[in-house]
Amino acid sequence: MAEELLIPADTDRGTLYEVLFPQIQSLVETESDLTANLANVAAALKEAFGFFWVGFYIVKEGQLVLGPFQGPIACTRIPFHKGVCGASYTRRETIIVPDVEQFPGHIACSSASKSEIVLPVFNRNGTVAMVLDVDSDRLDDFGEADAIGLKKILKLIERKL
């Protein structure tokens, strides 16, 4: 695949995920390096949707450690029991937060972040290996279409773990 995404204008999120999926699939299927794949997934999501921040936190040293991302600088380490990322890791489920100010224990890496979706990424043993964190600078910016579309994309990464 060329290093360019084909992103249709004026389309709903569900359709955009459908169009984006095969493009991300072609990027990650031919690359064996995990860091390269995570970086390209983050870049593709940021470019396609214009999200404020997109990145991965990888399980290391008993905590979540910042991995490849797109956006402003971010928190480097997150304890498993803190914030939306920690909650997603601990609960082993997708968490959608319409207003981060209303989430108990939210970690404010940036005051510009208003809403968030975090999804766990599982390795072959069924253990959470990392989380995908996506932030928006708009309130209530994430919904079921995002959860479905992002889970499908993360399955591509999970096959590589």
Side-chain angles (χ1 to χ4, degrees):
M1 176 178 163
E3 285 73 28
E4 181 178 337
L5 294 176
L6 301 174
I7 303 169
D10 300 323
T11 191
D12 66 85
R13 281 217 182 146
T15 302
L16 188 49
Y17 280 110
E18 289 176 21
V19 170
L20 189 60
F21 179 80
Q23 296 178 74
I24 291 177
Q25 184 176 29
S26 69
L27 281 171
V28 302
E29 281 186 344
T30 58
E31 179 54 58
S32 61
D33 186 82
L34 181 61
T35 301
N37 284 327
L38 297 179
N40 270 334
V41 168
L45 292 171
K46 176 107 166 84
E47 182 178 341
F49 295 97
F51 295 133
F52 177 70
W53 195 92
V54 180
F56 292 89
Y57 281 93
I58 302 167
V59 174
K60 292 183 182 179
E61 304 164 7
Q63 59 195 319
L64 296 167
V65 179
L66 182 63
F69 73 94
Q70 294 283 310
I73 60 171
C75 299
T76 305
R77 294 175 183 270
I78 299 174
F80 291 146
H81 62 283
K82 297 275 186 176
V84 183
C85 289
S88 178
Y89 169 85
T90 302
R91 297 178 195 169
R92 301 170 49 86
E93 65 186 29
T94 298
I95 298 178
I96 297 173
V97 181
D99 181 351
V100 296
E101 297 297 325
Q102 302 304 312
F103 189 87
H106 175 256
I107 300 170
C109 295
S110 171
S111 61
S113 178
K114 303 296 182 202
S115 61
E116 187 170 3
I117 184 171
V118 181
L119 301 91
V121 181
F122 299 94
N123 65 20
R124 293 182 197 273
N125 299 326
T127 303
V128 178
M130 66 187 78
V131 297
L132 171 63
D133 181 15
V134 184
D135 292 15
S136 175
D137 56 3
R138 295 183 291 158
L139 290 169
D140 201 19
D141 198 20
F142 301 104
E144 190 63 21
D146 299 292
I148 292 167
L150 293 170
K151 280 181 189 177
K152 185 175 178 182
I153 290 167
L154 290 178
K155 292 290 182 199
L156 298 169
I157 298 298
E158 290 176 341
R159 288 186 213 142
K160 301 271 189 177
L161 298 178

